[in-house]
Amino acid sequence: MDAAAAVELLLSPGAGIDPYPAYAALRSKGPIVGQAGAYFVTGWHAADAVLRDPAMIVFDAALLDQHWPDWRQNKGVALFADSMLKQNPPNHTRMRRLASGVFTARRVGRLRAVIEAQVEETLDEMVALAGGGVADFMTHLAYPLPIKVICALLGVPAADRGRFRRLAEALTAVLEVQLTPEQAAGAHAAAEELEDYFAALIEVRRRDPQDDLVTALAAAHDSGGDKLTAGELMGNLALLLVAGFETTTNLLGNGLRLLLERPVLAQRLRDDPEAAPAYVEEMLRYEPPVQLTGRFAGEDTQVAGLPVPAGSEIIVFLGAANRDPARFTDADRFDPDRADNAPLSFGAGVHYCLGAPLARLEAQVALPAVLRRFPGLSPAGEPERRDRLTLRGWATLPVRVGSVD
């Protein structure tokens, strides 16, 4: 497969089914390749450098105006454009500071007992819902658990949790490299529904403040000055909700699938839950829940020795970088004993994922707990993968729970 064919495949529908052969073909041409008017990064060191370079900027409103003049007509695109995800410093710095206190490693660590209780509660629900001893791991645990956690942090009432899987599925389509008219319409409708929901919740929190993110961000907006505009308030609430569980959901599903395919390693984790951090880090490397991210060159620069002119679009394939043999020995082998493991699954630099400590902790708690609760856990039919590359994961993952401890 030459570079042009690899790029065409990776930018086509269905690329998320198995992008790794195309990644390898593209990486064989170098850590960064110019093709089809853009630059594609597959090498770990090149990807790390791009993500940390302050001259590399994200696709913000100004760039959207240049490349997609009518983007404001789609509320899904506009909602993310107002969030820290699509902002560059100093706006990004200002927005991120407002939410960062909730996601520090120390504060997340204090959530362990809460997450452990929510895992056990969700496992109880999974047992009750397992018809004939078969359950869909995605529906019964990988989605509801992260939704419970992020809703608790935001201050979203428990009774409202059930609506967010559908809304996130529709809204996050705008983050993919290809967007059909149907997906664009669905994202627009989902954004309108989320805006209406948060507008009502904000009014409730103004009357009855709580120790949660909705209260804190609404107060930042209400305080005046330049802390948070109305659009930024809505955009960041939507981002924190959706990103707060979509990536963790994919991490849980991808991780369990890897363990089901490797029963010896699954048994090791069942017997030694203290090994969970190393397992989760290797899951993040081997099957990252976010496969790519984009940047623009803010000035003429070089990446891995290749000249990149100002204004160039750069696609960083995180999934390819994580399997770069120049950085990882035997990179295509899943090895939880891997030394010096440093995947780029949560990015790097100023846009490093704010919720990374929380996602890691949820997986470190949940996956050993699933294995312990269901000693006979095994696949129950073929899973269905979502047709997404940016947010790559499973739509269904049927499992036979067997005996329950």
Side-chain angles (χ1 to χ4, degrees):
M1 190 186 307
D2 62 18
V7 168
E8 182 179 4
L9 178 61
L10 290 169
L11 299 183
S12 300
I17 301 302
D18 183 11
Y20 294 103
Y23 288 160
L26 198 56
R27 195 173 49 238
S28 71
K29 311 302 179 185
I32 177 172
V33 174
Q35 190 71 39
Y39 291 83
F40 300 90
V41 178
T42 56
W44 187 94
H45 293 93
D48 186 60
V50 166
L51 296 174
R52 294 180 187 277
D53 187 348
M56 298 293 181
I57 58 178
V58 299
F59 209 125
D60 61 9
L63 285 167
L64 280 167
D65 286 338
Q66 294 177 32
H67 296 271
W68 191 356
D70 62 347
W71 64 272
R72 287 180 176 85
Q73 295 178 20
N74 189 300
K75 282 191 176 292
V77 179
L79 200 59
F80 281 129
D82 278 331
S83 77
M84 69 184 90
L85 180 69
K86 297 296 185 180
Q87 295 282 340
N88 293 295
N91 285 342
H92 171 268
T93 309
R94 168 176 54 83
M95 294 182 203
R96 187 179 175 106
R97 187 180 298 121
L98 290 170
S100 61
V102 175
F103 294 98
T104 63
R106 178 176 297 177
R107 181 160 183 173
V108 168
R110 293 201 297 266
L111 291 173
R112 174 177 282 274
V114 174
I115 292 172
E116 288 173 344
Q118 289 178 328
V119 166
E120 293 305 315
E121 174 187 295
T122 309
L123 286 172
D124 290 341
E125 295 168 356
M126 185 172 168
V127 171
L129 293 167
V134 174
D136 176 22
F137 179 76
M138 302 308 297
T139 297
H140 296 147
L141 192 138
Y143 271 99
L145 174 63
I147 288 174
K148 288 179 182 179
V149 174
I150 195 62
C151 283
L153 287 173
L154 282 166
V156 170
D160 296 338
R161 295 170 186 161
R163 67 196 303 176
F164 297 124
R165 178 179 182 178
R166 170 183 58 84
L167 293 175
E169 179 75 17
L171 182 59
T172 54
V174 302
L175 302 178
E176 298 295 324
V177 291
Q178 298 289 340
L179 183 67
T180 68
E182 294 77 16
Q183 289 171 329
H188 179 84
E192 287 190 316
E193 187 174 337
L194 265 181
E195 282 191 341
D196 289 344
Y197 176 82
F198 277 122
L201 183 58
I202 287 166
E203 289 306 312
V204 171
R205 288 292 177 264
R206 282 173 173 147
R207 294 192 300 269
D208 181 22
Q210 301 291 322
D211 182 19
D212 58 43
L213 264 171
V214 170
T215 300
L217 293 182
H221 168 258
D222 295 346
S223 66
D226 61 352
K227 285 190 175 181
L228 208 62
T229 69
E232 291 167 354
L233 172 61
M234 287 295 181
N236 284 296
L237 285 174
L239 172 68
L240 290 167
L241 174 69
V242 172
F245 75 84
E246 273 279 342
T247 51
T248 308
T249 290
N250 287 346
L251 171 57
L252 291 171
N254 293 346
L256 187 71
R257 177 65 176 176
L258 289 169
L259 294 173
L260 291 172
E261 293 172 336
R262 296 162 177 82
V264 173
L265 290 178
Q267 187 60 49
R268 275 182 52 191
L269 182 57
R270 182 180 286 115
D271 294 339
D272 181 17
E274 296 301 315
Y279 271 74
V280 170
E281 212 61 17
E282 181 67 347
M283 290 166 183
L284 286 166
R285 184 196 72 84
Y286 192 82
E287 285 281 22
V290 179
Q291 290 276 322
L292 65 92
T293 187
R295 295 290 187 272
F296 273 77
E299 59 188 45
D300 290 343
T301 187
Q302 288 193 353
V303 177
L306 182 70
V308 177
S312 299
E313 183 176 6
I314 303 167
I315 303 297
V316 181
F317 287 114
L318 304 172
N322 281 351
R323 295 206 194 181
D324 182 1
R327 175 60 179 81
F328 300 101
T329 302
D330 202 3
D332 287 323
R333 182 168 66 92
F334 180 78
D335 179 13
D337 298 320
R338 186 177 299 278
D340 190 26
N341 202 359
L344 293 172
S345 308
F346 290 118
V350 297
H351 281 277
Y352 182 78
C353 177
L354 195 61
L358 182 60
R360 283 188 168 101
L361 179 59
E362 288 182 62
Q364 290 166 10
V365 171
L367 291 171
V370 171
L371 296 175
R372 291 195 306 273
R373 177 71 73 93
F374 308 123
L377 191 71
S378 63
E382 283 301 310
E384 177 188 352
R385 190 172 281 287
R386 298 170 69 193
D387 187 15
R388 299 281 179 92
L389 180 58
T390 301
L391 295 173
R392 185 169 182 266
W394 297 100
T396 66
L397 186 55
V399 292
R400 193 171 303 281
V401 298
S403 60
V404 178
D405 276 2

